Amino acid sequence: MNNLLNPVFRQVAFKGNSKTLYRADANGEFVLAFEGEDNKLSMIRNRISQVIFELLSDCCVPNHYIRPHSVKEQKVVALEMLPFSVSMFISTNADIAQRLMCAQGMKLRSYLMELHLKQEGIPVVSKEHIASFGWLNSGEWGKIELSSRRVVDIVYSFFKAFGCTVASISLEFGRMYKEGAVHDILLADEMSLKNIELTIDDMVDLTTEQVYIEVAKRLGILKYE
């Protein structure tokens, strides 16, 4: 039996609070499993992420998604993850409002890009940090910047068609290797409401669970009762 199909033989590559990444078999595929106390929300996160990654693939945005694996899992490309995430702000959220002493929900004149180290405290870093520490070369940074802006354009327009307004998106990237050399930089992790901050235009005062369920219904993942 394929080691990715039988959980008994799976080896954990990374385990977070709500996701586990299982190591690849011989063909270089990993399994990304969405986990949590609420199975329904885990399944919704998995399906929303699949829908968005498939959309991005159709729009030629390089990413790690391969195909669905189960109701809470998807197959992805094995990557060396970069030590920072890219936050793209369309409007100001509570965190931005507090840090920059401005109004929350203010539409920005252009996309605001921030880089956050993935460690305790989530410190903000600059492109100069990336160059000085050698995390990326100029070509790799160019790919990340282009992909990030394209993702925002695509995802914002997509959700707007379903009556939702995206405020910010947090993105992660990783290096894909072939024959021991860096082959490409790919968008990775997940593309769900865990890292896409949005509001439903015609609904207010919803809990996190209610937002997940309503968005899933609008995308056709769940049926309206």
Side-chain angles (χ1 to χ4, degrees):
M1 179 179 288
N2 188 309
N3 286 353
L4 294 181
L5 297 177
N6 189 343
V8 174
F9 297 105
R10 290 181 177 179
Q11 293 183 327
V12 174
F14 169 81
K15 187 170 182 61
N17 293 328
S18 61
K19 291 191 299 288
T20 300
L21 185 67
Y22 294 99
R23 292 190 182 279
D25 57 7
N27 62 13
E29 295 179 354
F30 277 45
V31 164
L32 182 61
F34 291 78
E35 300 168 342
E37 295 181 359
D38 191 316
N39 284 330
K40 185 175 184 178
L41 292 188
S42 295
M43 289 187 285
I44 290 174
R45 280 177 59 208
N46 180 46
R47 284 291 295 121
I48 291 177
S49 190
Q50 289 173 11
V51 168
I52 301 301
F53 272 127
E54 288 167 1
L55 171 66
L56 295 175
S57 295
D58 289 342
C59 295
C60 300
V61 176
N63 64 78
H64 75 158
Y65 175 75
I66 300 174
R67 58 185 172 274
H69 189 60
S70 72
V71 293
K72 294 200 297 182
E73 299 176 341
Q74 52 192 258
K75 283 193 174 183
V76 298
V77 176
L79 301 176
E80 175 192 55
M81 297 301 293
L82 299 178
F84 60 86
S85 61
V86 179
S87 294
M88 300 292 291
F89 295 93
I90 300 98
S91 58
T92 56
N93 62 5
D95 177 58
I96 288 285
Q98 181 180 15
R99 285 192 285 119
L100 302 183
M101 294 180 289
C102 61
Q104 184 176 343
M106 180 177 64
K107 185 74 178 290
L108 299 171
R109 295 181 181 180
S110 59
Y111 299 150
L112 171 63
M113 175 185 288
E114 287 189 345
L115 310 177
H116 299 262
L117 280 185
K118 293 186 286 187
Q119 64 180 49
E120 187 177 355
I122 319 177
V124 178
V125 294
S126 67
K127 288 189 290 185
E128 285 70 25
H129 284 91
I130 290 174
S132 296
F133 285 96
W135 292 333
L136 298 169
N137 59 43
S138 59
E140 291 173 328
W141 170 250
K143 289 182 179 181
I144 287 176
E145 192 169 25
L146 177 61
S147 288
S148 297
R149 296 188 184 281
R150 290 205 65 211
V151 168
V152 175
D153 286 339
I154 294 164
V155 173
Y156 182 89
S157 299
F158 175 75
F159 278 109
K160 200 64 180 175
F162 291 93
C164 303
T165 299
V166 175
S168 67
I169 306 177
S170 179
L171 307 172
E172 294 194 24
F173 293 86
R175 290 187 178 95
M176 180 176 70
Y177 286 82
K178 280 190 176 181
E179 298 178 355
V182 177
H183 178 71
D184 206 353
I185 295 285
L186 303 182
L187 178 67
D189 196 42
E190 66 179 291
M191 289 298 297
S192 76
L193 303 189
K194 188 81 171 177
N195 61 311
I196 300 173
E197 184 178 5
L198 58 73
T199 55
I200 299 174
D201 297 341
D202 56 351
M203 304 179 77
V204 295
D205 298 328
L206 299 179
T207 65
T208 299
E209 181 177 357
Q210 288 171 329
V211 172
Y212 270 87
I213 291 173
E214 179 62 25
V215 169
K217 288 176 178 177
R218 295 190 182 203
L219 299 185
I221 295 169
L222 296 177
K223 294 182 178 180
Y224 283 100
E225 297 176 354

